[in-house]
């Protein structure tokens, strides 16, 4: 058994899942290529990990979503949007 396998065997199943998710997150492909997404029947959209990583968003990040009209939605880190609102009076 290699060192990683030994370490992983000592982790609980929940910790193993968390480590796997972090590894996936860290290796997610970062690309500025547009990605076609589909809105499901419940109005949800799944965003690719690479897109989130490129935007500097981590799992659990709080975001603010708003419409700019003309079919455009904007997602911003909550703290950035609040800071801009307080400092500039605009999002």
């Amino acid at each position: 058994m290699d060192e990683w396998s030994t370490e992983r065997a000592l982790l609980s199943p929940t910790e193993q899942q968390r480590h796997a998710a972090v590894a996936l997150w860290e290796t997610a492909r970062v690309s500025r290529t547009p990605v076609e997404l589909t809105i499901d029947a419940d109005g949800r959209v799944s965003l690719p990990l690479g897109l989130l990583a490129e935007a500097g968003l981590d799992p659990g990040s709080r975001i603010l979503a708003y419409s700019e009209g003309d079919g455009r939605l904007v997602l911003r880190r909550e703290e950035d949007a609040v800071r801009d609102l307080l400092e500039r009076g605009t999002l």
Side-chain angles (χ1 to χ4, degrees):
M1 214 185 268
D2 65 18
E3 185 178 330
W4 168 241
S5 298
T6 303
E7 286 179 28
R8 203 169 101 189
L10 299 174
L11 298 175
S12 72
T14 301
E15 290 171 320
Q16 289 179 22
Q17 287 177 338
R18 188 178 75 71
H19 281 270
V22 168
L24 177 62
W25 181 257
E26 290 174 348
T27 59
R29 192 180 100 218
V30 175
S31 171
R32 293 191 181 266
T33 303
V35 178
E36 185 175 323
L37 306 171
T38 302
I39 301 169
D40 73 13
D42 294 320
R44 294 180 296 218
V45 175
S46 293
L47 301 173
L49 288 176
L51 188 64
L52 295 173
E54 183 177 327
L57 297 170
D58 298 314
S61 293
R62 293 184 53 91
I63 59 172
L64 179 69
Y66 57 93
S67 170
E68 286 191 340
D70 296 329
R72 185 185 310 232
L73 298 175
V74 177
L75 303 176
R76 302 224 21 224
R77 274 189 299 258
E78 184 179 63
E79 62 267 20
D80 293 345
V82 169
R83 184 191 64 242
D84 285 353
L85 190 56
L86 293 173
E87 291 177 1
R88 301 179 194 162
T90 185
L91 297 173

